Each structure stands twice: as C-alpha cells, then as structure tokens.
Amino acid sequence: MGKPSILSPFRAIKYLFQKPVTLRYPFEKKEPAPRYRGFHLNDWEQCTGCGNCADICPNEAITMIDVPEIEPDPDSGEKGERPQLDYGRCCFCGLCVDICPPGSLRLSRDYLHIHFDTDTFTFVPQDDKKDCETFLPAEEYSILKASLTHRRRDYEGFSSDLDYALFEPERVPMAELPAEERKSSFIEQVIGYSTEEAIEEAARCLECELCEAACPANLKIADYVKAIYEGDSARALRTIFEDNPLPAICGRICMKHCEDACSLGLRGEPVAIRWLKRFASDSVQDYRETLGIQPGPATGKSIAVIGAGAGGLALAYHLRLKGHDVTVFDSLDAGGGMLRIGPPRYRLPEEALDRDVDFIASLGVEFHFNTTVGKDVQFDELLQDYDAVFIGVGLGVSRTARIENEDRAIMALDFLEQSKLDTRPEVGRQIIVIGGGNVAMDVARTCVRLQEAQYPGEETSTKTVCLESWDEMPATEEEIKESKEEGIQINPAWGPKAIILEDGEVKGLDCKAVKSVFDEDGRFSPTFYEDKTMVLEGDMVIEAIGQGYDLSFIPDELSLEFTERRKVKVDENGMTSIEGVFAGGDIVNVNMDAVTAIADAKRAAEGIHKMLSQH
Amino acid sequence: MEVIGRASDTADAGSERELELYFGPQHLGMVGNFSITLKVEGDRIIKATANPGYLHRGFEKLMEYRTWIQNFPLVCRVNVIEPDSMEWVYARAVEKLAGIEAPERAQYIRSIYLEMARIASHLFGLWAYSNMLGFDTPAQWAMYHRDLLLDRFEELTGGRVYHIYIWPGGVRRDFPDGFADRLVKTLHSIGGCVPDYDATFFNNRLFYERAHGVGKLTQQQAKTLGATGQTLRATGMKYDIRKVEPYAAYDKIPWEVPTREEGDAYSRVWVIRDEMIESVHMIFKLLDAMPEGEVYNSVPNPFKWRIPPGETYVRCESSRGELGLYMVSDGGDKPYKVHFRTPSYPHGLTILEKLLEGASIADVGNTMISLYVVAPEIDR
C-alpha cells in the first residue's frame, strides 16, 4: 500500500455548505422515543401500594409513603401507600415498571427537571388522570419551565407489558377430577399440588403481604409460602399454626379473602394460597411431631366452649396452649360443627376434618358430644362451674321462604347432614333447590351425585332457583362454574311462590319473576312481577336460602345484647354484654366463614386469658 | 502539554537528567479516569507505570449484595463506552448457571444489538483517537454518527447509554414497529460517510505519518502479553471469539474477521474501521435471517429466584477484545462471586507499559488510545 494522500482531507470542505446536524436547543427539541425511560408516572387508582417497586429498586430510590387521602382497605388489597421517588438515586432502569403487578407504574418521556431546591428531587408521581396541575396539555406546556411539576400530558414512555413482566401472572394449574367423573362420587374433587407444583406456585409470591392484611385471622402468609418455596413444609405448618389451628380444613374450604387481595390477581391469577396451605398440611405426616406443641403448664382455670365448630376448636387450641382446661359441648357426635354438616365430602373429606379435630383433642381438650346446651346441660350451670364461657354455636337453623305448601320442602342443613350418613337420603329425579348461595350449590351438587347413584343411566335433573340475578348471586364464581359443569341448571331472578302438589305429590315449583332484590338503601326487600310466572317441574324441593342462630338456651334475664345487624354484640376482647361470656363465629361476624370464626376465637382466647390472668 | 515534573533526587533513580512526569488523569490527552506515571530522560520514556485507580466503584463486591436481576443496572456501568457486551456476559452466565435458554429470535436480536453496540463503541473510539491526534473534523462526525445509533438504542430499549436490554431468558422487549427499517436507514447514512472518513482520516497522509510504526507489537508479543481484539488482530492473527466460540446468532450468518499485519497504532485503527464496516454488513444479514417468534422465556420471580450452586466462565468478543465473566452461585438469590476479565486490563496495564518503554512523550496518548483502553473496565 502506498502512502496516503496529503490532499484528500479537503474533501471535507463540502460540509461547510451543509446545514449543521446539531439541534438548536431549546428552539429545536428532540422528541424522545416512545419507549423512553424518563420520569415516573403512577396511576393512583390502579396502584395498591404493594411496595414491590420499592423492594426491587437496586438503588433504594423508592420509598412507600402514607397517603392520607387514600383510605387503606385490606379486603381489596389497598395499602393506602404510594411510591415516592428520589431522583437523586434513580437510575431509570425500569425494574420497578416490570415488577409492578397492577401495571400502574410507568415511565414517561419527560426528563427535564430544573430547580434550585434539591429537595424537589423527591417526588410522589401521579399521572394525568388525577393530577391536572402537573400534567399539562401541549398549549400550556413550556419547555423553559419543564420540571417534575411541569410536565406534558399523554407522554407515556416505557410501560408495563405482561409478556415481559418480572412476575408470573398465571398460577400452576390445580389438577381436578373432570365434571363427568366427579358427578358419580363424593371423592375429593381437587387433587392437590405435588411438591414440585407447590414449590413452583410458591415461587410466584412477591411477598408484598397484602394478603396478610386481608386475612381475617392475619395469617403470616408470605412467611409460610416462602417456607413452602424453600421446601420446608414443617416450618410452613408451624407458621400457620400460630394463627390457625385448622390448616387441613381451611386449606380446602377457606373463603380465601387473601387471594382476593393478592396483587398478582390484578392482571393475572392470585397465588393459590389456599391450596398451598392445604399442601403444607397434607405433606406433614404427624402434626404433633412436626409442631412440637405441648399444652402450657396447668393454670387451674377452666373454660366451657359451646359448639365444636371452627371457632370453638380454635379457641380450645389457643387456651390449651396457655394451660387452661377446656371443655367443649356439642350436640353432634363428633367435632367440626357446621364444617361436619355443611361442606360436602367432595370439598372437605372426613379425613381432613378428623385430622385437625383429632390434633386439637390430643392436646387434652375435653369433648362432650351429643350434649345440647339448654337441654342436656343448662347455661346457668356452665356459668357457675367454669371461669369463662365461649359461645360458638354458629348458624344451625335453616331459614324458610314462607311459600305455599312449604311443609313439603326439605331443609338444606337436614339434607346435607343426612347425605353424609351411610344411609343416604332418597332423592327425586327432578330436584329443585331454592337458593343462590354456596349452601344451595352444595345441596344441588350433592343431589346430582345422589341421583347418579340412585338412578344410574336414567334421565335426571337438578335445578336451582334464586331471587338474585347472575351478578348478585352470593355463591362464589368457582361454585357456580363447577355447578354448571356438573349439569345443574341455574335460574336466577325468579322468586318461589308455591310448591305445586298433585294428589299429594310434589309436582313442581311455581315461580314469579323478580323486579328487584334490594331496595334503594341496599336492604333485602324483593319486589316481583306478579303476572310473569314460570313453573319448574320437579318431584323434590329443597330450601337453601340461609341459616339463622338459636340462642334460646341463654336465659332472658341475662339480657344478651345484639348489634343492628342482629349479631351478638362483643367488645374488643370478644366478650359479650354478659360478664365472663365470650362469643365468636357466625353469630358475631358478618363474613360467616371458618377463617373469620378462627380470627374471632383467637381474639376471644386472648380476652379470656387476659381476664383469667387478672383474677 | 500540561506537565508537572520534578527532578528526581533519589540515588538509584538513574542519571541526573531523569524526570518523573504525571500524564493524567487531568491531562487533555487522556480520555477517561486514568493516569500514567512516566520516568523520562529528555523526550524518551524509560519507564511507564499505569495508574487505573480513579474509578473504583466496587461493582464486583456490590453485585454480591443484589439479586440476580437487580445487578443489571450495575453490570452495564462497568464499561461506559460499550455497556451491552457486559449485559450479555452477565445474562449468559446467569442463564448457564440456571440452565435456561433464550428463544431463537432473541439470539438474533442479541447479535444485532451487540453489533450496534460495537459500531457505536468504535465510533466513540474513533472520536477519541482522531480528536487526540488533532483531527477534529472526523472526530465530530464520529460523535454525530454515534448519536444516530444512540437514537436507535433509545427506540429499542428506552435508554441511550445504559440500555439494560439483554436479560436472562432473552431480551427485555421485542423490536418496536418499523425498527428494522429505521436501523437499516441509520446504518446506510453512517456507511455513506465512509469515503469521507477515509479521505479525511484513514487515507490522510498526516494520520499515516503520525501513527505509522507507533506502539508496534509483534504477534508473539501480543499473544504473550494477553492482547485480544483488534490489538491482536492488527498483528495478523485471525482470532475472534465470535468465530472461535460462536454465541448468540453469530454462527448463523457468513462474515469475515478483518486483520492487518503491521501490529502498530495505524493498523489497529484500520482494523477498527474494517470491523465497523463488517458489523454493518452483519446487521443487514442478521435482519434478513431473523425468525419470528418469542423473544423472552420468563424467569422466576426476582424476589425468590435462586440459582443452583455452580460456577461458570462466559466470554464474548467485545469491541475491545475478549470480555470474560466468572460467576459463582452458592444456590442463593444473589451471586456468590462475580469477576470480570476485561480486555482493557492487559491492554491498559501490561501492554501499554511495555509499549511506552523507549517511546517519545508525544506518543503516549497516541499509543494508549490506539490500544482502546477504557479505564472503568480496568478498575471496576
């Protein structure tokens, strides 16, 4: 190669006559790319304050701060906090955007902040939905004033994309019996996670703890899910037992308020917390050995518990650990209360129920079964003989719809109870279930199974009818879906009028169309179109429209007080208006489920222990 | 030249005419946080001691305290000039330890992205070199052309300098609509200026006279001293990790490894020029061959992601030579140990010191920048 030329550089002269390539800022502005990672935007309506952005930030630039105008609402997973950014630390990597479960946190294309005060670098981002003063339309925006509080409207940059999110939006599918198979038996429908599946599902948890605030019993969910993820089911179970001594039961039939609050559920599926609890319980051979729990040293105090349901069992457990003597009275012949009567075996097998009950019994709790308070033993005697009394009787009386020929209808609880006996009740070929709640679905689905057994190969039908429309039905979506899968015909927005009899035989149900169920104040007050009627054919009618309590065993002179919603009134220790008498469960709370009863029991146990320790 | 010197008064310092000079870090001929202590006799350098310790951020240690994903904003900052190959080695090491693979389209995107980074980095290098030698015009062009590429990076990743784009399991987002066309257009406009660069710089007699024979290395010396990249290829050795140990999609398309024989500063800069042109052609071929499909196989939740115990070494051909990453996992949610083998380490320390022995003071910056030393890489 020869030596290069000395004249060739003159070629560059042509550039003298060309337009400069540099921008004359601020008169010419460069438009950032649509994916630009600039200052944050946060949709306060979508944001739940879960704090995952703060946890992932490698620079600790994000702090969660209390926002007074946002009311925390644990049930819906609203923490009442919002992220605050310190732009002195932020490196605009966008990890916070990719971890944000609701997708509320995005980055904008704004990047200019001009201010003399360095404190202004700390900023709580919102977006143009709420903050009209900061986010200005093009005609009001001036680049000369550009700052964190003078920004452009509709100027989104790097935003969340579920396909590239740092969390897994879909849960590990739970193996279940197919509808056709489960219809023919009472075998448990949900098969349960294998160890690998449980670990994979537990790995989805972001540990934001919104679930813990939503759980009535405030279980340490993030901790036990983490323990499961680490393969330590024993530790998981010990964590669960701190707040909930019925994991095998709750792991199957809990109303899972936690999953409603789970931040992953906002754009995907919540972590399967209930199934993970079930896994923790099922994967441990022996509770006693694993937990290493012993009753506390004897205190000489004794407590009578009326009702061996979720509340009574949990209370007995907590008080035994404190060393008190606990005696439980129940009219049934085994522990579990409504848990034994209500949930059909395909949802809650007897073994699971027995497992939790037997463990609590093994701690030295004395059970008096087949003993009805008010009949076999008087309430006054309990008050005299024991240092404290806990009422956890639940709602054991079926309500009726007060329709014509009602004496021919069968009551839901009686039916469910009988269906669990070896001598299962005979059912009709065409069954009508009145009610739109979970109990009605339990009844209808039990009927389908009994029909399959009693009329194999024959044509049978089960229908439900309820006042509420599809949107108003109190049954969970899951139950409605599974009922439909099993071939149950649901007739919402129809009110039962009369049971039609022909020669003394049930022939069907006369129904009228519902105008509205609730009045303007949201109170139950159904109205009907009297002229619009329908006849459902059937040879058996079961009523499942709700349950009430029977507290007639409490003498009137003790004057037990009630709340406006006809619930037993208790104070912050769980004590009723009668000194030394505590209460919990469905007669006290409005949730009327197992986990809330367990929460009530924990509160009452602490109240009782405090009271007994003072004397 | 801003020189602070003092007559050495120690007995064993050699002749009375010996001086100690500090070249950098505040020196105009110095790019980056780096300095060289020169022992000179007249204009001759007797001994040069490289001093890289001005930008120590403790990244390797910091990374032991951050989760696998949280380390991405750190790892790219090891090298400001070309953060992308850093991202690749880190992501690949994590993938290897965790036993995950990126989808095929992501492999192509990674290659395209790494080649874009190579061109941008070489343009930066070209700016540094021509600017230092006093060729202001091509230096300004190189900066402008690099900026055009940064626009494409911004469009693809959201960031101009620190892109944080390659992730374990693939890349962070797919190409935006029309990105490939705009990238091709950008590369054409840069490629169209190659004759101008040649005329003003590469074929400029002044550049030839200034760089020819400066900092000359034989192939044997280059190999012994641990040279890689264009420093090695300028001595006639056809060694490129993209060929030797193909990664991403480099084995899916045909391409050439440019080399020169002379081994001096002049040939090193020519190799950089040829490499840039080859990279442009590679991107065109990769864009044509790129399949449709997914670009990201999702990785576990970063708060719970634990990687099985093990160790791995991953290397790639960065714009300056062989970039390696040694990583150990103890089964936790953070790396147990991360260590970089950066190309500037041998180039900026052992080779530079060796080449400066006997050189003239005027050639210090010339030699240093022709070796493409990036100081933040040496001292993480």
Side-chain angles (χ1 to χ4, degrees), chain A residues 379 383 554-562 568-569 576-579:
Chain A
F379 190 71
L383 278 182
I554 301 174
D556 290 342
E557 62 269 21
L558 288 175
S559 62
L560 186 65
E561 283 179 27
F562 292 89
V568 174
K569 200 170 166 182
T576 64
S577 53
I578 308 168
E579 178 72 26

Side-chain angles (χ1 to χ4, degrees), chain A residues 4-5 8-9 11 14-15 30 32-33 35 37 55-56 58 93-94 98 159 164 166 203-205 207 229, chain B residues 66 70 141 151 154 156-158 160 162-164 167 172-174 195-196 199 203-205 295 301-302 304:
Chain A
S5 158
S8 67
R11 190 185 159 107
K14 66 177 181 183
Y15 282 91
K30 196 171 145 31
R35 223 177 245 178
R37 299 199 302 256
D55 288 344
I56 196 140
C93 59
D98 282 339
S159 34
Y164 302 99
L166 280 173
R204 294 177 62 223
C205 172
E207 300 171 30
Y229 169 71
Chain B
R66 280 163 175 75
Q70 281 179 329
W141 294 344
D151 285 350
E154 181 187 324
L156 178 63
T157 69
R160 292 181 70 80
Y162 297 122
H163 312 126
I164 317 178
W167 271 27
R172 209 167 161 192
R173 295 285 192 276
D174 202 348
D196 293 341
N203 282 329
N204 187 338
R205 177 71 179 274
V295 299
N301 160 8
K304 289 218 163 65

Side-chain angles (χ1 to χ4, degrees), chain A residues 43-99:
Chain A
D43 184 344
W44 273 27
E45 278 164 32
Q46 282 183 313
C47 179
T48 58
C50 65
N52 283 311
C53 47
D55 288 344
I56 196 140
C57 182
N59 304 331
E60 295 179 8
I62 304 181
T63 323
M64 298 306 291
I65 55 156
D66 272 322
V67 175
E69 63 254 48
I70 296 173
E71 194 67 32
D73 178 15
D75 292 344
S76 63
E78 169 59 74
K79 228 174 194 170
E81 294 179 351
R82 292 295 178 262
Q84 172 183 276
L85 267 293
D86 179 353
Y87 285 109
R89 305 182 75 110
C90 177
C91 72
F92 301 94
C93 59
L95 289 183
C96 48
V97 173
D98 282 339
I99 196 73

Side-chain angles (χ1 to χ4, degrees), chain A residues 563-615:
Chain A
T563 65
E564 278 173 17
R565 300 183 70 166
R566 298 297 302 154
K567 295 284 178 184
V568 174
K569 200 170 166 182
V570 295
D571 64 10
E572 71 279 4
N573 293 319
M575 189 156 83
T576 64
S577 53
I578 308 168
E579 178 72 26
V581 176
F582 294 73
D586 295 356
I587 58 168
V588 169
N589 64 60
V590 290
N591 282 350
M592 298 188 284
D593 60 3
V595 70
T596 317
I598 290 165
D600 286 350
K602 198 178 167 209
R603 176 181 62 177
E606 275 157 23
I608 292 172
H609 181 66
K610 203 162 83 183
M611 184 186 81
L612 296 182
S613 310
Q614 279 164 359
H615 294 302

Side-chain angles (χ1 to χ4, degrees), chain B residues 190-199 202 273 277:
Chain B
I190 297 173
C193 290
V194 169
D196 293 341
Y197 279 110
D198 284 350
F202 294 105
R273 173 200 175 271
I277 294 170

